[in-house]
Amino acid sequence: MDYDKLLNDRQLEAVKKTKGPVLILAGAGSGKTRVLTYRTAYLIEKENVAPYHIMAITFTNKAAAEMKSRISTVVGERGRDVWVSTFHSSCVRILRRFALEAGYDRNFSIYDADDSKTVMKAVMKKLNVDPKKFKERTFLSAISKAKDELKGPEEALKDWGHDPVAMLKFKAYKEYEDRLKESNALDFDDLIVKTVELLRTNKEVLSYYQEKFEYMMVDEYQDTNTAQFELVRLLSGGTRNLCVVGDDDQSIYKFRGANIKNILNFEHYFPDATVIRLEQNYRSTKTILSAANSVIKNNEARKDKTLWTENEEGEKIKVCSFESAYEEADYIANDVAVRKRKANDSYSDYAVLYRTNAQSRILEEKFIRENIPYKIVGGVNFYSRKEIKDIIAYLKAIVNPSDDLSVRRIINVPKRGIGEASVEKAAVFATANGKSLYEGLLSSDINPAIKSAASKIRSFTSLIEGFKSRLNESVPTIIRAVLEESGYQNELVIENTDDSKARLENLEEFINKAVVYQNDNEEPTLSGFLEEVALIADIDNLPEGDDYVLLMTLHGAKGLEFDTVYIAGMEDGLFPGFMAITASDGGEELAEERRLFYVGITRARKNLTLTLARTRMVRGEYQTESPSRFLKEISPLLTEGNMPAPSVSSRKTEAPRKKSYTPDTSYNPFKKPVAPKNFGTTIAKAPLSYAVGDRVTHRKFGEGVVLSITDGGRDFEVLVRFDGGEEKKMFASFAKLEKA
């Protein structure tokens, strides 16, 4: 293979630099997947590295499948032996092999977000936590962030403090962990945390994998959290032949735990690292790249790089302002229809991006009226639908009967006359005898507390035992048996409603998924199928080949590209968000919003349109907003179309009158705006009747103490610690707090 002809100079350097730590700063559209593919091929062909000594980690199943396919195309059958998978999939494989060493049975269950929520509900009930004051996600979010930082309950408490709320989180964390352990279950965060713990505490296991993975590559490195960094550090610690690929300018997942310092400080962690910059872009026009460069250079904490391309100059970027969000959506839908007719291209060449999911509703309405096929990315996940969750719970209970959560979900689905009281009595009996709930159910005949329900429980356990005896059959066969013999399918058939028919169709699609899994794997198992289902990401579910416009948040668009892109809602307070503008974190939040805009710009290949509305409905009232500050960071030489300055003299705005969506050319957004430098709000800001330290009353949350008051321009932002221990940050005009 002639690598010199296949790659540009920088790509070739990245491929051939195989020894020691390497950081490849891969700008948007610079061919990073191509580099990783040929780097793998180079190791196998030129350096005679056995494929099974190479590990490549990605973030999504889709990216892993694409990389594996490309590697196999280049090097043939040998590519199948390269370990290519996601972080979570890799950890599952390690933990399955060394489960006992990690303190778990090999058939441990993997709990998704809904499962974790169910566990936390039970935890809160035990701790007598009022669900009206605290939601499950309050505790689960805190626990997840702690696990991302590899902190157990005690260490997390040091960060949280020792006030009543912190102590409640601490107790919830401990109880949550105990319940997962009792059920032989791990949540998604645990997959990485427990693998790191295993590698840290078991030198034999660590040595085994360090010898196995002589060469390690990590894609999208800017998205790694602290736990993932430690996993990579441990696994690559043998040969130190670690190659990470990423772009700090596309680090947009701080809210998920991503730590941008992992990539910014790579040379600090690995002083002998080689840094290679991939700056040639193969995706976008010169105009689009110039706009992206001019925006991102305003971030200070970044690795210096400038994208360039040999592509054509391309069309100027359209900047369009409208009187209302309705006219903005009307324009976008109409423009898609017009462009589609003229270009005779596919709807899949178009995407509409926005900062918040709430913006999609109006866009959907307009697309329906224009008869434009579209798909919302980020809606209800297929695997989150009730009927799918039910059947998965059956399968989990068959593989791992110790999974109390799954057993509880299905014991009376469909209804078998087994009441919650009987289940609780069985659980009490099981706990007293050191058994799982299912083992307690198996012993129902000797449990006098549930004598009346014993026969019904015995019928259920016999059903599960029968399914367990058929684990050697194909996965689709097992699923069909569960649907038929449990009575689940028949109940939906008898119901005979549109809803039940849709549920049956979903179950058929689930079987289709099982058939594909069965055919694609050399050694298919029900346990392996459940792992694959558990690790599927939302973006992995996009149907291939369907022709529709994609509507999605900017976060959801990462990794995708389209000929024509619209970014809607380019207003201060919306994008960047108000909280980012007013954050007192030295500009870090605003910098991440700017990176998000950079990601949005670089999704476009040929055409980019930026739209904003002079007025937008928020909380039931119309607000006026200033054009996004990010727009002024793009040179006017790269744009066409202008926007009017919003009037902010009247904070409360009447509903806008309908008018044409032709952009107003009377105002240049890149010159200093005539309007005052504030954000506009629905209500004129009035003096507050309370101050920091005062006790106040809220109609829903009761009494509390004011901790801080921040003047955000559009409104006062008030932080209150309520007597229940919960702290809430709210806008004064909407909170309507009264001095106690």
Side-chain angles (χ1 to χ4, degrees):
M1 189 182 304
D2 192 345
Y3 293 93
D4 291 359
K5 291 183 179 179
L6 292 168
L7 305 163
N8 66 38
D9 291 345
R10 295 285 74 76
Q11 290 175 334
L12 188 63
E13 181 185 0
V15 164
K16 291 186 174 182
K17 177 58 181 173
T18 59
K19 299 295 183 182
V22 180
L23 168 61
I24 301 175
L25 290 171
S30 62
K32 67 181 177 67
T33 305
R34 183 180 183 83
V35 168
L36 288 172
T37 300
Y38 282 106
R39 193 174 194 274
T40 305
Y42 186 85
L43 286 168
I44 296 171
E45 289 191 341
K46 301 297 183 182
E47 302 205 354
N48 298 316
V49 178
Y52 52 80
H53 283 317
I54 303 172
M55 182 186 203
I57 298 183
T58 68
F59 269 84
T60 68
N61 294 301
K62 185 176 182 180
E66 180 184 356
M67 188 183 298
K68 194 147 196 170
S69 174
R70 289 197 188 189
I71 290 171
S72 295
T73 300
V74 174
V75 301
E77 285 296 310
R78 289 176 296 173
R80 298 182 64 180
D81 293 329
V82 178
W83 185 313
V84 183
S85 65
T86 65
F87 272 102
H88 290 98
S89 295
S90 297
C91 290
V92 169
R93 288 177 68 177
I94 293 171
L95 290 173
R96 288 288 186 210
R97 178 160 188 168
F98 293 100
L100 297 178
E101 288 81 354
Y104 290 84
D105 183 270
R106 283 192 173 89
N107 289 325
F108 61 79
S109 294
I110 302 172
Y111 280 4
D112 63 13
D114 286 343
D115 295 331
S116 294
K117 189 176 180 181
T118 302
V119 174
M120 186 52 69
K121 280 184 178 178
V123 168
M124 291 171 62
K125 185 176 181 180
K126 180 177 179 179
L127 297 177
N128 294 317
V129 177
D130 186 350
K132 293 181 180 178
K133 291 184 178 180
F134 297 97
K135 300 298 181 185
E136 298 88 5
R137 63 176 176 269
T138 301
F139 299 106
L140 290 172
S141 176
I143 292 170
S144 180
K145 288 178 181 177
K147 288 185 177 182
D148 284 347
E149 295 295 322
L150 294 172
K151 294 180 178 179
E154 286 76 15
E155 288 181 286
L157 184 60
K158 295 176 183 177
D159 294 335
W160 296 336
H162 289 80
D163 59 43
V165 176
M167 293 305 297
L168 203 53
K169 289 179 182 177
F170 169 71
K171 292 176 182 178
Y173 192 173
K174 287 193 70 174
E175 181 67 21
Y176 175 78
E177 290 294 276
D178 289 344
R179 290 187 177 236
L180 259 61
K181 183 67 176 176
E182 289 168 4
S183 292
N184 190 36
L186 302 173
D187 64 19
F188 261 46
D189 295 318
D190 283 333
L191 294 178
I192 296 174
V193 172
K194 298 303 179 184
T195 304
V196 169
E197 288 179 3
L198 173 65
L199 296 174
R200 279 178 169 178
T201 58
N202 193 308
K203 292 183 179 179
E204 290 183 4
V205 175
L206 176 61
S207 178
Y208 171 82
Y209 282 108
Q210 286 184 342
E211 290 177 12
K212 178 177 177 62
F213 302 129
E214 295 178 4
Y215 293 86
M216 188 171 182
M217 293 178 284
V218 183
D219 194 13
E220 302 288 3
Y221 187 67
Q222 76 281 347
D223 294 335
T224 55
N225 59 34
T226 300
Q228 289 162 338
F229 166 79
E230 181 64 4
L231 176 71
V232 169
R233 188 190 70 79
L234 288 166
L235 290 175
S236 64
T239 62
R240 298 183 75 255
N241 294 329
L242 170 65
C243 173
V244 301
V245 184
D247 181 6
D248 53 297
D249 290 334
Q250 297 186 70
S251 179
I252 58 174
Y253 295 125
K254 183 181 178 183
F255 68 97
R256 291 183 187 170
N259 187 350
I260 193 173
K261 292 179 181 178
N262 289 348
I263 190 168
L264 291 179
N265 296 338
F266 188 79
E267 298 98 310
H268 172 74
Y269 302 126
F270 303 95
D272 57 334
T274 300
V275 180
I276 301 170
R277 288 172 168 78
L278 304 183
E279 297 173 297
Q280 182 175 359
N281 177 284
Y282 293 91
R283 176 190 301 160
S284 306
T285 64
K286 287 184 173 69
T287 297
I288 290 170
L289 287 187
S290 294
N293 286 329
S294 66
V295 167
I296 202 62
K297 71 180 182 182
N298 290 280
N299 275 359
E300 295 179 1
R302 62 183 291 263
K303 300 279 190 181
D304 185 44
K305 73 185 84 67
T306 302
L307 296 182
W308 62 276
T309 185
E310 293 179 350
N311 293 342
E312 62 183 1
E313 197 71 32
E315 294 183 12
K316 286 192 173 185
I317 296 168
K318 283 190 175 180
V319 180
C320 304
S321 173
F322 307 96
E323 187 67 22
S324 71
Y326 289 93
E327 290 170 14
E328 176 190 47
D330 200 25
Y331 168 81
I332 292 173
N334 184 269
D335 196 58
V336 169
V338 171
R339 284 181 181 270
K340 173 77 169 56
R341 284 194 295 269
K342 287 182 179 179
N344 194 30
D345 51 8
S346 301
Y347 284 116
S348 58
D349 293 325
Y350 298 81
V352 185
L353 313 180
Y354 35 79
R355 182 63 183 86
T356 66
N357 276 308
Q359 292 171 254
S360 70
R361 182 183 65 82
I362 300 173
L363 288 162
E364 284 191 80
E365 291 176 3
K366 299 299 182 182
F367 272 64
I368 290 170
R369 290 177 185 174
E370 287 284 349
N371 199 29
I372 297 173
Y374 70 90
K375 177 178 175 64
I376 296 283
V377 177
V380 176
N381 188 293
F382 177 81
Y383 296 98
S384 295
R385 295 168 185 171
K386 181 184 182 302
E387 62 277 14
I388 304 302
K389 294 281 289 182
D390 286 343
I391 194 65
I392 288 175
Y394 265 103
L395 302 180
K396 284 182 177 179
I398 295 167
V399 172
N400 175 24
S402 296
D403 184 347
D404 288 0
L405 191 64
S406 294
V407 172
R408 281 180 179 274
R409 183 181 181 101
I410 62 170
I411 192 169
N412 206 36
V413 177
K415 293 189 181 302
R416 300 184 175 91
I418 304 173
E420 183 63 27
S422 296
V423 176
E424 286 302 323
K425 290 174 183 176
V428 169
F429 178 82
T431 301
N433 290 275
K435 299 178 180 294
S436 68
L437 172 61
Y438 185 76
E439 289 173 321
L441 295 171
L442 286 172
S443 304
S444 59
D445 286 338
I446 61 172
N447 182 357
I450 53 173
K451 207 169 190 179
S452 60
S455 61
K456 296 171 183 175
I457 291 174
R458 189 164 52 248
S459 175
F460 169 72
T461 55
S462 296
L463 185 71
I464 299 300
E465 291 297 305
F467 293 145
K468 285 169 63 180
S469 68
R470 300 167 64 173
L471 283 172
N472 61 332
E473 298 180 10
S474 73
V475 176
T477 299
I478 295 172
I479 294 173
R480 289 191 180 98
V482 171
L483 287 172
E484 293 170 8
E485 296 174 27
S486 68
Y488 197 100
Q489 180 175 285
N490 190 51
E491 187 174 75
L492 292 174
V493 171
I494 293 172
E495 184 179 325
N496 196 32
T497 62
D498 290 341
D499 181 62
S500 67
K501 290 175 183 176
R503 291 179 184 275
L504 285 168
E505 289 173 0
N506 290 336
L507 290 169
E508 282 300 319
E509 183 57 31
F510 186 67
I511 293 174
N512 292 342
K513 165 67 181 174
V515 171
V516 172
Y517 167 82
Q518 188 78 23
N519 293 336
D520 287 354
N521 288 269
E522 292 181 1
E523 297 180 6
T525 64
L526 182 56
S527 180
F529 175 69
L530 287 171
E531 287 173 15
E532 184 166 307
V533 166
L535 297 170
I536 288 176
D538 189 43
I539 198 69
D540 293 329
N541 294 325
L542 290 180
E544 298 292 337
D546 290 358
D547 192 21
Y548 44 69
V549 180
L550 284 183
L551 276 60
M552 68 182 86
T553 64
L554 285 142
H555 283 101
K558 182 140 182 313
L560 304 177
E561 56 185 79
F562 309 89
D563 281 353
T564 301
V565 169
Y566 302 83
I567 302 180
M570 293 299 303
E571 304 131 34
D572 259 8
L574 183 56
F575 191 34
F578 177 65
M579 297 302 288
I581 293 171
T582 58
S584 57
D585 60 358
E588 289 185 15
E589 292 288 340
L590 192 60
E592 176 139 339
E593 290 280 287
R594 186 177 284 109
R595 292 194 292 270
L596 190 58
F597 185 37
Y598 173 83
V599 167
I601 293 172
T602 54
R603 298 312 93 197
R605 297 190 192 105
K606 300 177 181 177
N607 310 298
L608 176 63
T609 299
L610 309 174
T611 65
L612 65 152
R614 179 180 178 274
T615 59
R616 192 176 297 273
M617 182 174 283
V618 179
R619 300 184 185 92
E621 295 179 314
Y622 286 96
Q623 290 184 188
T624 60
E625 297 290 357
S626 299
S628 171
R629 60 195 62 203
F630 294 155
L631 292 174
K632 299 170 199 173
E633 296 176 355
I634 302 175
S635 167
L637 298 176
L638 302 172
T639 65
E640 61 182 12
N642 295 290
M643 67 197 78
S647 170
V648 293
S649 57
S650 174
R651 303 290 190 177
K652 190 172 180 178
T653 307
E654 298 298 323
R657 296 188 298 273
K658 294 287 182 183
K659 69 172 186 178
S660 168
Y661 46 70
T662 303
D664 190 325
T665 60
S666 63
Y667 176 72
N668 186 337
F670 307 108
K671 292 181 180 179
K672 187 176 180 180
V674 176
K677 288 186 178 179
N678 53 23
F679 311 115
T681 186
T682 58
I683 303 172
K685 189 169 65 181
L688 300 178
S689 62
Y690 47 84
V692 174
D694 287 346
R695 288 189 62 78
V696 292
T697 301
H698 186 278
R699 62 182 180 277
K700 179 179 179 181
F701 304 115
E703 290 193 10
V705 177
V706 178
L707 299 181
S708 67
I709 299 174
T710 304
D711 189 344
R714 66 191 300 179
D715 200 353
F716 290 111
E717 190 179 69
V718 185
L719 178 63
V720 181
R721 178 183 293 158
F722 290 98
D723 291 348
E726 189 173 12
E727 291 184 6
K728 285 193 172 292
K729 190 178 287 185
M730 56 193 76
F731 293 121
S733 58
F734 295 105
K736 294 181 171 56
L737 298 167
E738 295 181 0
K739 191 171 181 178

